[in-house]
Amino acid sequence: MSKQITTLSLGTDPLSKLLPRYAIPAIIAMTSTSLFNIIDSVFIGHGVGAFAISGMALTMPIMNMASAFGSLVGVGGAAITSIRLGQGNKQSAENVLGNVVLLNIMFGLIIGALGLIFLDPILYFFGASDQTIGYARDFMHIILAGNVITHLYLSLNEILRASGYPQKSMMIMLVAVAVNCVLNPLFIFKFGWGIQGSACSTIIAQTTALSISLHHFSRSSSFLYFKRGIFRFRAKIVGGILSIGMAPFLMNICTSIVVIFVNKALKEYGGDLNIGAYGIINRVVMLFLMVVLGLNQGMQPIVGYNYGSRNYDRVIKTLRITIICAVCVTTTGFLVSQLIPRQVAMLFIGGDSDSAAELIDAVAYGMEHVMIMFWAVGFQVVTGNFFQYIGKAKRAILISLTRQVLFLIPLLILLPPKYGVLGVWMSMPVADSMSVMLAAVLLYFQIRNFRKSPDAEKSI
């Protein structure tokens, strides 16, 4: 009964209290996810070397593709869960939970197996050289072997949050980060396992966190829990999950494609260390974006519940607050990139070798240019996720595809031949600017529809 009251509060509690209640734990959780990659990079940079950083950067497209399938299931399942709870249909929400587990096991096994079989050809296609492929191969062998664990860990955490346990979701992800922080230096420096030690640390940390989620959903006292009959594929639920999750799925796939273009261009015009520089810059960018995504995840159950209840005025107010907070976050990232880029680079890179100095210079130069429009990115990210949360998958997909494919890839083809490495870096803020303008137009018409004819908006 108390959990039912907590769920109903999504439609009644003041937004000034409700959004922080859900957003702050989600921000901490999402930031901890980003810290996984940052921790790995910092220890690898200081404990293995500059070329190991470049080797790890080569794995980003594979990691993004694996994450794409995790987002397809996890984000789609969480959105459907929130909407079903808003409609008062708890049984359907429990069926969603069962289908999320089955889909993650299926996708996790398939992607992990294919990645292991074709790993070397994939890495060479992504821009690996003889100096970097060994590092990338050693890292990905372990990560791909634990792919099912990664998928289940992330997706069940999404469902946990959507079903009314944001603090527990946060705690689970913090446990994973804490375990990773302890094991990374132990495996790299004490045991001398190098980049493989970092990968082992990541999988062990995720396994620890997953075990807590599985325990939660195994208890009948939980609001949603594992029960007989839910572990069966249901076409309507699977279709809904995949439809809503298609936006983040395509975003991650497009991100992988973009990284391939970026890595190839950087290898041609700047060399292996510039690929490593992009890997570091991407981790800094993702740290701030994870805060924004945490805000989005805090927004998601509120927007989903009130959209399902047709309380559109409350939906708009939640969106407005989230956009303001997100822009403040990305503006902070912009200021960091322009004021202290070298200091940020030195956090990731140890030693006084020529390669380390060259990598620091490349990171600082790239960061200043890549993040020059970053202050506006918060608006675009929130808008894309908002359309996803209200079931407008096509609009969410459009926002994602235009930035990554229609805008960025052509710029990556046109600018580097003329401007070299600078052309690679500048293609990103130009694409950001164009995507922000598109998101603003789409959001304007959506809000006008809410205000003009709310009853015309149908919940899924």
Side-chain angles (χ1 to χ4, degrees), residues 158-352:
E158 295 276 0
I159 301 298
L160 192 67
R161 186 180 301 108
S163 60
Y165 296 89
Q167 287 80 16
K168 193 167 190 177
S169 170
M170 172 194 69
M171 182 273 293
I172 288 172
M173 300 198 81
L174 288 177
V175 166
V177 171
V179 173
N180 198 30
C181 284
V182 171
L183 295 183
N184 239 304
L186 180 66
F187 290 168
I188 292 175
F189 297 107
K190 179 69 174 178
F191 294 170
W193 292 356
I195 200 168
Q196 290 177 316
S198 182
C200 287
S201 172
T202 296
I203 295 300
I204 292 172
Q206 291 176 349
T207 302
T208 304
L210 173 61
S211 66
I212 301 174
S213 293
L214 292 174
H215 179 262
H216 168 88
F217 287 113
S218 298
R219 298 168 60 216
S220 60
S221 58
S222 299
F223 187 58
L224 301 179
Y225 60 94
F226 298 144
K227 60 175 61 175
R228 185 174 299 177
I230 68 171
F231 296 105
R232 178 163 53 87
F233 283 119
R234 289 170 169 82
K236 187 174 181 180
I237 290 177
V238 171
I241 290 173
L242 299 184
S243 175
I244 293 180
M246 190 58 63
F249 171 79
L250 290 177
M251 182 178 68
N252 279 288
I253 291 295
C254 291
T255 298
S256 297
I257 296 171
V258 166
V259 171
I260 294 169
F261 275 89
V262 171
N263 284 349
K264 286 181 173 291
L266 288 173
K267 184 179 180 182
E268 180 177 354
Y269 297 100
D272 289 331
L273 290 179
N274 274 275
I275 295 176
Y278 177 59
I280 292 173
I281 294 168
N282 188 65
R283 278 157 173 70
V284 174
V285 167
M286 288 307 300
L287 178 61
F288 290 98
L289 287 183
M290 283 299 179
V291 178
V292 176
L293 292 176
L295 287 167
N296 285 341
Q297 289 194 354
M299 172 182 73
Q300 181 263 320
I302 305 171
V303 165
Y305 186 96
N306 286 282
Y307 183 75
S309 302
R310 299 177 182 269
N311 189 351
Y312 301 127
D313 182 62
R314 193 169 170 86
V315 170
I316 294 172
K317 289 179 181 178
T318 304
L319 173 65
R320 183 187 302 120
I321 296 171
T322 307
I323 288 175
I324 292 171
C325 293
V327 171
C328 290
V329 171
T330 51
T331 299
T332 302
F334 160 77
L335 293 174
V336 168
S337 71
Q338 303 305 305
L339 298 177
I340 53 171
R342 290 188 64 84
Q343 289 82 348
V344 172
M346 292 170 67
L347 293 175
F348 290 84
I349 305 160
D352 54 2

Side-chain angles (χ1 to χ4, degrees), residues 8-83:
L8 291 175
S9 70
L10 293 169
T12 58
D13 283 5
L15 292 176
S16 60
K17 296 181 179 179
L18 189 62
L19 187 58
R21 185 191 309 164
Y22 277 83
I24 291 175
I27 289 169
I28 296 173
M30 293 304 296
T31 304
S32 68
T33 300
S34 182
L35 287 175
F36 251 101
N37 292 327
I38 291 176
I39 291 167
D40 289 343
S41 296
V42 168
F43 283 116
I44 289 170
H46 285 269
V48 186
F51 282 101
I53 288 283
S54 296
M56 192 172 178
L58 291 167
T59 69
M60 286 170 53
I62 304 177
M63 300 280 278
N64 285 332
M65 287 180 183
S67 297
F69 286 93
S71 298
L72 178 67
V73 178
V75 175
I80 293 288
T81 297
S82 292
I83 293 173

Side-chain angles (χ1 to χ4, degrees), residues 73-96:
V73 178
V75 175
I80 293 288
T81 297
S82 292
I83 293 173
R84 292 293 179 260
L85 291 176
Q87 295 168 341
N89 192 346
K90 183 183 176 184
Q91 179 59 52
S92 179
E94 289 177 334
N95 289 333
V96 172

